[in-house]
Amino acid sequence: MDWREPIHVGSNHLTYHVQQRLRPTLHSFGHIHDEPGIRNFGVIQEAGITFVNCSCRKLRSKLVNQGVVLEIDPKTRTVKYQPT
């Protein structure tokens, strides 16, 4: 399975508020679907925030991603992840 990093295709406005105003340890979402040549499922860490696109299906409802396992340490506010 190809685990290259996802690319940003979402709302720049939302990203700004998540990174500059809210600053969560973890931001999880799953609405963006893969398009031919673009793979957006996965995990990236940016600006101290772990972003997780946890969508599992393509547009035709085929299960294509098995998910990720996250370990969150509330004391250190760190997130470790591993593709399944």
Side-chain angles (χ1 to χ4, degrees):
M1 188 173 263
D2 182 7
W3 288 106
R4 64 193 159 142
E5 290 188 356
I7 62 169
H8 184 270
V9 294
S11 166
N12 288 329
H13 185 73
L14 175 61
T15 301
Y16 171 82
H17 282 282
V18 168
Q19 289 180 334
Q20 303 300 319
R21 190 172 64 84
L22 300 172
R23 303 214 31 86
T25 300
L26 174 66
H27 182 65
S28 179
F29 48 93
H31 185 72
I32 300 292
H33 299 277
D34 289 346
E35 297 293 333
I38 298 175
R39 187 167 187 283
N40 284 308
F41 171 81
V43 178
I44 61 169
Q45 292 181 314
E46 187 175 289
I49 302 168
T50 301
F51 292 84
V52 182
N53 182 346
C54 51
S55 62
C56 293
R57 298 185 179 272
K58 285 193 173 185
L59 293 175
R60 294 193 176 124
S61 297
K62 292 182 181 178
L63 183 64
V64 294
N65 302 312
Q66 300 302 314
V68 295
V69 175
L70 301 172
E71 292 181 30
I72 303 169
D73 184 333
K75 291 180 182 177
T76 61
R77 294 181 50 92
T78 57
V79 179
K80 294 180 182 177
Y81 64 92
Q82 179 178 347
T84 57

